[in-house]
């Protein structure tokens, strides 16, 4: 693309990002993120049982039917029923616990919830006698559960450390200018990702937006690393020794766009496939990963190159002023001699 589309339109791209970021901040302050994936605003009745009931003939089916009837007879409306299972980490396939979760409106009072629990306990008493893992638990809406909460923020922290290390590598291997552009693009993608989740009200778990922002930064630095590799090869080529920063960055972007799209598209496709085969609790997480997997394409192909033109121009001028560009001048002279 020409100079206008890469360099001079940078304010336009930044303005587009700024609109979504500002809108996201406003909605975040007013409505917070959409945490409906947690069911935090609803009460739940949970029936959990172990391998004894699971292995019994029609055991799970009988328990489920008894619970369904007990909840219905208690006079409450079930908003959603979810089956959760825990798999043995050693056998990798053997289900050791099953939990049936009945989601009930928050309007149902504590006394009514207690009566539902009593009805379920009475209906499943015969199963509880034989299964030591059998339990019936009621969660009031005021006590919001945090599904995967600790894993989420720990994962986000680990990804953040990986991004920091990658940026240090970029700075050492490809120069401070590339590292500064990479840092800016990573921060841009992380903030914009969180803003999009707030603007479009995408359902998330608690701490989910933090993980998605970290993933966006990680994907961004990976895609930018691909650009830096090509950029370094181009700069070292004597044929482009006399080229401007804008010409070099445009060439790199033009030759590297297909690889960048393929990498970002592959990550987004992985998130979609993982969401399609995941359990109900994990499906929301993986489907939402398509946002931080695909969004960095926008920065890597548009915002990053446009920004790096200015960064590289400034660093080239600094090197020339401080006598750091002797090698480049020799290359230019060599090219002129050959021609």
């Amino acid at each position: 693309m020409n100079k206008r589309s890469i360099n001079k339109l940078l304010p336009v791209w930044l303005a587009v990002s700024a609109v979504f970021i500002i809108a996201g901040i406003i909605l975040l302050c007013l409505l917070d993120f959409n945490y409906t994936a947690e069911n935090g605003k609803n009460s739940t009745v949970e029936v959990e049982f172990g391998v004894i009931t699971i292995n019994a003939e029609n055991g799970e089916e009988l328990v489920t039917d008894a619970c369904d009837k007990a909840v219905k007879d208690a006079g409450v409306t079930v908003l959603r029923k979810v089956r959760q299972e825990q798999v043995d980490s050693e056998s990798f396939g053997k289900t050791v616990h099953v939990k049936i979760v009945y989601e009930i409106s928050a309007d149902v009072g504590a006394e009514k919830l207690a009566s539902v629990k009593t009805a379920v306990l009475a209906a499943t008493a015969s199963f509880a006698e034989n299964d030591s893992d059998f339990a019936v638990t009621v969660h009031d809406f005021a006590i919001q559960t945090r599904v995967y909460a600790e894993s989420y923020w720990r994962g986000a922290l680990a990804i953040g450390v990986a991004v920091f290390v990658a940026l240090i590598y970029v700075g050492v291997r490809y120069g401070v200018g590339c590292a500064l552009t990479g840092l800016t693009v990573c921060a841009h993608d992380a903030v914009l990702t969180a803003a999009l989740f707030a603007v479009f009200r995408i359902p998330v778990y608690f701490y989910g937006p933090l993980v998605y922002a970290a993933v966006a930064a990680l994907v961004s630095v990976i895609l930018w690393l691909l650009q830096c590799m090509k950029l370094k090869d181009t700069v070292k080529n004597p044929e482009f020794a006399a080229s401007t920063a804008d010409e070099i960055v445009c060439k790199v972007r033009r030759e590297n766009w297909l690889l960048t799209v393929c990498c970002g598209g592959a990550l987004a496709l992985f998130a979609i496939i993982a969401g399609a085969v995941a359990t109900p609790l994990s499906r929301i997480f993986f489907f939402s990963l398509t946002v931080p997997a695909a969004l960095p394409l926008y920065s890597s192909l548009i915002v990053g190159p446009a920004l790096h033109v200015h960064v590289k121009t400034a660093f080239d001028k600094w090197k020339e002023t401080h006598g750091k560009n002797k090698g480049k001048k020799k290359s230019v002279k060599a090219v002129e001699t050959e021609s």
Side-chain angles (χ1 to χ4, degrees):
M1 297 180 68
N2 55 31
K3 183 176 180 179
R4 176 177 177 79
S5 62
I6 289 294
N7 188 6
K8 291 188 176 181
L9 290 182
L10 177 60
V12 177
W13 310 131
L14 295 180
V16 171
S17 300
V19 169
F20 283 102
I21 291 174
I22 294 173
I25 293 174
I26 294 174
L27 289 174
L28 182 62
C29 295
L30 296 176
L31 303 175
D32 204 349
F33 290 107
N34 181 9
Y35 290 124
T36 54
E38 285 282 0
N39 302 323
K41 294 183 179 180
N42 296 305
S43 301
T44 59
V45 176
E46 302 176 359
V47 181
E48 184 176 3
F49 45 88
V51 292
I52 295 178
T53 302
I54 296 172
N55 294 333
E57 184 177 359
N58 300 325
E60 182 177 344
E61 182 180 352
L62 293 173
V63 170
T64 303
D65 291 342
C67 293
D68 290 347
K69 186 177 184 304
V71 172
K72 182 179 180 181
D73 292 343
V76 296
T77 301
V78 177
L79 302 178
R80 186 173 64 164
K81 184 175 76 171
V82 179
R83 179 185 182 275
Q84 303 172 6
E85 64 178 39
Q86 178 184 348
V87 180
D88 186 7
S89 59
E90 296 182 359
S91 63
F92 296 102
K94 182 181 179 181
T95 302
V96 294
H97 282 90
V98 171
K99 182 186 292 184
I100 308 297
V101 180
Y102 296 90
E103 182 184 341
I104 300 172
S105 173
D107 296 332
V108 178
E111 294 183 2
K112 190 67 174 178
L113 288 175
S115 66
V116 174
K117 179 179 180 179
T118 301
V120 173
L121 286 173
T124 58
S126 59
F127 299 99
E129 291 178 356
N130 301 321
D131 190 346
S132 59
D133 295 322
F134 201 97
V136 178
T137 309
V138 171
H139 292 282
D140 191 89
F141 74 96
I143 306 175
Q144 297 180 337
T145 57
R146 277 13 181 199
V147 179
Y148 303 141
E150 184 175 354
S151 300
Y152 272 23
W153 74 261
R154 290 182 182 275
L157 181 62
I159 295 173
V161 172
V163 172
F164 179 74
V165 172
L167 288 173
I168 292 178
Y169 170 78
V170 171
V172 173
R173 184 75 173 83
Y174 302 104
V176 178
C178 288
L180 289 177
T181 302
L183 175 61
T184 305
V185 172
C186 286
H188 167 273
D189 288 349
V191 176
L192 184 56
T193 295
L196 291 179
F197 275 92
V199 170
F200 293 104
R201 315 304 301 157
I202 301 174
V204 293
Y205 292 115
F206 291 105
Y207 295 102
L210 185 63
V211 176
Y212 297 134
V215 171
L218 179 62
V219 176
S220 180
V221 76
I222 291 174
L223 297 183
W224 180 243
L225 183 59
L226 297 177
Q227 302 277 25
C228 291
M229 294 167 62
K230 184 66 177 178
L231 184 64
K232 184 174 183 179
D233 292 339
T234 304
V235 170
K236 293 172 67 175
N237 191 335
E239 295 182 8
F240 302 98
S243 300
T244 64
D246 181 65
E247 292 171 342
I248 292 176
V249 173
C250 285
K251 180 181 183 300
V252 170
R253 176 185 178 277
R254 188 170 54 251
E255 295 181 354
N256 230 34
W257 74 269
L258 182 59
L259 177 61
T260 303
V261 171
C262 289
C263 291
L267 293 174
L269 181 61
F270 168 78
I272 294 174
I273 295 175
V277 301
T279 61
L281 278 178
S282 303
R283 187 168 297 130
I284 294 177
F285 172 78
F286 283 110
F287 277 147
S288 298
L289 269 180
T290 56
V291 177
L295 178 66
L297 289 174
Y298 163 64
S299 295
S300 299
L301 296 176
I302 298 178
V303 178
L307 177 63
H308 193 62
V309 169
H310 297 278
V311 175
K312 180 170 172 52
T313 300
F315 270 83
D316 287 346
K317 289 182 179 179
W318 183 86
K319 290 178 181 178
E320 186 174 351
T321 303
H322 293 75
K324 303 289 186 179
N325 246 1
K326 293 181 179 180
K328 181 177 179 179
K329 291 181 179 179
K330 291 181 179 179
S331 299
V332 174
K333 186 175 180 180
V335 172
E336 291 176 349
T337 303
E338 292 177 0
S339 60

